[in-house]
Structure formats: structure tokens, C-alpha cells
Amino acid sequence: MTEREQPKLDDEAAFAGLAQAGIRALRAYDPGHDLVALRRRFGAGQLVELGANENPYGPSPAARQAALEALDGAHRYPDPLGGGLKRVLAERLGVTPAQLLLGNGSHELLMQFAQVFAGPEAAVAMSQYGFAVYALAAQAAGAPLQFAPAWAPDALMPRGHAPDALASVVSARTRLLYLANPNNPTGTWIAADALAALLARLPDEVIVVVDEAYAEFADAPDYRSALALLPRHRNLIVTRTFSKAYALAGLRVGYAVADAGLVAVMERLRESFNVNGVALAAAAAALDDDTHLQQVVSANARQRPLLAEALRARGCFVHPSQTNFLLADFGGDAAAAAIEAGLLQRGVVVRPMAGYGLPQCLRITVGTADENRRLLQALDEASKRTCSATGQRG
Ligand SMILES: *Cc1c(COP(=O)(O)O)cnc(C)c1O
């Protein structure tokens, strides 16, 4: 009896060989530092966590109460249609419940758009410094990626999405275009008229995802949500999340608004109980607590320019931001790495940007006044030895 040569299934590479083509070369999303270990090291409440664009003010008390009450029903499956939350959302947004898709965080939906619409023959377009999840979604679906160059570092909207470049990268084989507005990690935004003009230029067969994870924080006069463009563009999907301004990142709820027909196709792939009952209840209650949202948004609006100014005073180039974070350019890869390490040593977590091809930058969440003060103090200590920031753009 001759034995066929068997692959030895003894490591990740061996199993990757059995995976679908798109998964073979895939690298898992990098969530940043091991915060559990860091909290243990620095003590609870001592670590200054400014690496994940979370909301430092915590959830609405009403959302917390609703979550606690929902726990009494934890032995039941949640509403598979998320009807309660969809009704509140629909009323708020002026759309029908059939136009809403709920996700276990918007991350889940961003991945599923590619599973549904992209593939080896259906390419995905995105901007150079677009959110990392879009590339991951495309790769997982085995879809070719089409990268549009971003604005130059010294442009009016440094490293932001360039609508003309995005329109030019779209070809006959493009099926999906992802665009965050405002964008993570740059914090930059596309003005309302430029976004409307871009959508008007794109063919109907290109599904356009406008990811508005940070929309609640945006207050620039030229920024507007793409929700208003939905009636004109049936190929448009707008995604939102409860993870940022609503401070429910740990519960995982996001949603998409789109044409009811598009939503129905997406529903074919959705896991029936993808959003849990505690999260559904908390999200609906959070949506009703306008006072809390306004407090969070105005606190961020106060702190953001103060932190940006303080970083500029220390020689960084700070990208304009409509979000709850700042992308700071330290003028050199080694300088940024040394600062990041120095901050971490002092219990301050920020986000390194080498994964985005921006090793000279760090992304820093706008914290509370106290957190920002501790960040700046640690930065001053860390840069005593390492400061080589140029204070110049680029
Ligand atoms: C944080 C973020 C999200 C939200 O992710 P969730 O899965 O909803 O927590 C989506 N898009 C961008 C660009 C983000 O930065």
C-alpha cells in the first residue's frame, strides 16, 4: 500500500495552506497593545488609554440602566430583527426600518459588504490612508484592491481622501468603494459638496460605503452626513456606530442605512442573532439620551483644539480633525517610535501608525482634560531625550 504524501498539519502555515485563497495571505486586524496586560501592570485607572478612539466619558446612565434590565432576559435569544432599536433609529434618521441593517459593531458590516459584493472579479477601491478594515474585508473576499493616492502631506486636507483620485481609480471591474468621512486614522474629512460630486460621478454598479463612525463629532461648516444623499443614490450605504460618541464600544453595535433592496441582500448573510439583547437595549436608550451625547460631543469639541495646540507647541504637525482623535506627525520614524515607547513606559497608550505606512505619526485619542494633561506631561518627559520633531509639515 502506497501512502500519499500528507501535509503535516502542525502549524499556522500548514492550515493556512488549506484556507481559501483570500485568507492565505491575510494578516489579522491589529487591535494595538495588549491592554489587559498593561492595566495589570499600571493598575486599574492609572493607565491613560488613548489608543483606540474610545469615549473617555463612559456611556449614558440611561443606556447602562437599560443594559442591566435587559440582563434579566439573557436566557432568551435577542430579537433577531432588532425591531426596537430599528424603530428608534428609523424615526431619528427619517428612513424606514427596512433601510436599516444592524451589526455586531460596524466592523462586522464592513466585512460583510465585501463578502456580499466583492470577489476575484469585483474589485474594492479605497483611499491610501483609509481605515484598515476595508483592505482586510477586500482580501478576505479575494477581491483586488484599488488604492487611490491621498492628498499630499502639505495639502489643505493633509493625507485626506482626494475625491478625484478616488473617481479615477474606479474602473469597470470596481464593485465596492469604501470611504470613511471623517476618516480614521487621519481625522480629515471630505466637504459635503465634494462628496456629493464624487457620488454623482460614480456608476450605479459601484456600491459606495460612507463610514460615518465619527459623524457625531464633526462640526465643520462644510461637513455633512451622507444620509441626505441616500434618496438620490441607491448604491450608497452609510454606516454608523455606537462605539464612539455613544460610548458603547464594549457592547458591539453598529448599523448601516441603505436602500431596502440592498439591505435585503445583506440580510441573506447576516447571522440571525448577531446583535445581543443587552446591546440592543443599551443602544436604543443611548439614542434617546441626547443630553449625554451633547455633553460628550461638546467636551470633545473643547478638548480637541486644546490638545492639538499643545502638540503643535511641542513641534508636531497635527492633521486637522473632525473626530475624537488627532494624527500627530513627529517628523521622523525614529522620533515617533521613541515617543511611543516613552509614553507606554509612563502608562500612556497611543496608537503607532506604521501599519498605515505612517511610521512618523502617532494617533492620539482626545481624552478628558486630566488624561490630556497626563499625556502631555509624559510626552514632555519622554521627549527630553528623544525630541527630534521638526515642527514642519510632512
Ligand atoms: C471605530 C471605527 C468603526 C467602528 O467600529 P465598531 O465595529 O462599530 O466598533 C468603524 N469605522 C471606523 C473608521 C472606525 O474608526
Side-chain angles (χ1 to χ4, degrees):
M1 197 172 96
T2 60
E3 272 190 46
R4 208 156 44 92
E5 186 137 351
Q6 296 281 341
K8 248 176 88 193
L9 295 176
D10 58 356
D11 66 358
E12 182 176 345
F15 284 102
L18 301 180
Q20 292 190 54
I23 310 295
R24 257 171 247 156
L26 198 61
R27 300 235 326 264
Y29 179 74
D30 173 12
H33 291 290
D34 181 350
L35 290 162
V36 176
L38 285 169
R39 282 174 203 141
R40 214 178 295 126
R41 182 171 143 205
F42 287 94
Q46 285 311 298
L47 194 66
V48 180
E49 301 186 24
L50 303 175
N53 303 342
E54 291 151 335
N55 186 326
Y57 304 101
S60 138
R64 184 180 176 279
Q65 189 56 35
L68 285 172
E69 284 164 20
L71 280 173
D72 288 338
H75 57 302
R76 302 289 180 200
Y77 281 106
D79 174 1
L81 302 176
L85 176 57
K86 279 189 184 173
R87 268 193 301 281
V88 186
L89 276 172
E91 200 177 302
R92 279 292 171 119
L93 304 171
V95 299
T96 65
Q99 286 181 269
L100 293 167
L101 185 70
L102 302 181
N104 195 269
S106 51
H107 189 139
E108 179 185 48
L109 300 176
L110 295 169
M111 294 298 289
Q112 283 180 1
F113 295 137
Q115 274 182 275
V116 169
F117 293 108
E121 311 297 326
V124 173
M126 64 180 283
S127 186
Q128 190 180 359
Y129 302 117
F131 188 39
V133 168
Y134 311 152
L136 211 64
Q139 283 175 278
L145 264 165
Q146 300 171 312
F147 278 104
W151 291 119
D154 61 353
L156 203 60
M157 202 53 80
R159 299 185 170 111
H161 305 329
D164 282 349
L166 276 163
S168 334
V169 88
V170 167
S171 69
R173 64 174 192 157
T174 310
R175 178 57 46 78
L176 192 58
L177 185 151
Y178 287 103
L179 165 88
N181 197 34
N183 184 50
N184 175 14
T186 55
T188 53
W189 66 103
I190 297 188
D193 52 353
L195 183 61
L198 173 63
L199 273 157
R201 277 174 77 178
L202 297 173
D204 286 350
E205 298 80 23
V206 177
I207 305 291
V208 181
V209 178
V210 178
D211 177 349
E212 296 189 342
Y214 300 95
E216 294 87 356
F217 295 113
D219 54 12
D222 62 348
Y223 176 85
R224 263 198 301 285
S225 165
L227 285 170
L229 301 171
L230 279 167
R232 243 177 299 159
H233 299 285
R234 307 207 121 177
N235 55 331
L236 173 62
I237 304 174
V238 179
T239 62
R240 295 271 184 95
T241 182
F242 285 93
S243 297
K244 307 283 159 58
Y246 288 100
L248 295 175
L251 289 184
R252 317 300 305 124
V253 200
Y255 61 95
V257 194
D259 182 80
L262 190 155
V263 169
V265 172
M266 287 292 300
E267 283 286 342
R268 298 176 189 184
L269 190 66
R270 188 180 62 84
E271 189 261 308
S272 26
F273 304 106
N274 62 332
V275 184
N276 72 74
V278 174
L280 287 172
L287 211 51
D288 257 346
D289 191 348
D290 265 326
T291 311
H292 187 75
L293 178 70
Q294 286 321 314
Q295 279 167 359
V296 162
V297 167
S298 40
N300 184 67
R302 266 196 311 278
Q303 293 301 322
R304 186 173 61 201
L306 293 177
L307 182 59
E309 214 30 67
L311 290 168
R312 285 187 189 113
R314 285 160 175 82
C316 294
F317 170 65
V318 181
H319 297 65
S321 169
Q322 281 292 290
T323 64
N324 66 340
F325 62 85
L326 296 168
L327 183 66
D329 188 329
F330 287 82
D333 306 5
I339 293 285
E340 203 265 332
L343 290 177
L344 197 58
Q345 257 173 26
R346 293 166 176 82
V348 178
V349 185
V350 300
R351 192 60 174 271
M353 286 283 109
Y356 278 94
L358 295 169
Q360 69 277 49
C361 295
L362 298 173
R363 195 194 65 196
I364 304 171
T365 308
V366 178
T368 62
D370 184 55
E371 288 173 324
N372 298 338
R373 187 185 51 73
R374 289 164 69 187
L375 160 79
L376 292 168
Q377 189 187 333
L379 184 62
D380 288 340
E381 289 171 19
S383 56
K384 269 196 193 116
R385 318 160 120 245
T386 57
C387 193
S388 57
T390 61
Q392 272 162 25
R393 295 190 153 203

